[in-house]
Amino acid sequence: VPESAPDPSLSSVSAAWWAATRDDPARLADWLYAQYRGEVTAGRRILDLRDAHAPAGSRAHRLLTVIAGQEQTHAGWVGELLR
């Protein structure tokens, strides 16, 4: 199945959404909190997945550990923005 071209209207919808979010402090804070919660829970879920399905020392275990760490780093960055 060939990839379809990106819908140019999505770019304008995203730009409009970002402008509205960026310019409304309450809306921006809500979005940042949602991002923070998503990053924190993603890190935990990835570690749970790793522990359930990837043998210690395996490539999968190492990769999932790195990815979970990246999610935790992202959570830290967003947390700093929320201070």
Side-chain angles (χ1 to χ4, degrees):
V1 177
E3 289 187 37
S4 60
D7 183 347
S9 67
L10 291 179
S11 178
S12 62
V13 169
S14 294
W17 171 86
W18 174 241
T21 300
R22 173 194 68 209
D23 297 339
D24 180 338
R27 187 172 174 168
L28 180 60
D30 288 345
W31 178 73
L32 285 170
Y33 276 111
Q35 293 301 305
Y36 177 77
R37 287 188 296 271
E39 297 290 350
V40 168
T41 61
R44 288 184 194 145
R45 288 191 319 268
I46 291 166
L47 290 175
D48 289 344
L49 176 74
R50 178 202 67 188
D51 294 345
H53 300 286
S58 68
R59 182 171 187 266
H61 191 278
R62 289 188 305 274
L63 288 172
L64 291 169
T65 300
V66 168
I67 294 167
Q70 291 170 341
E71 296 296 333
Q72 292 165 348
T73 296
H74 301 157
W77 293 341
V78 176
E80 287 296 317
L81 291 172
L82 290 167
R83 289 183 185 208

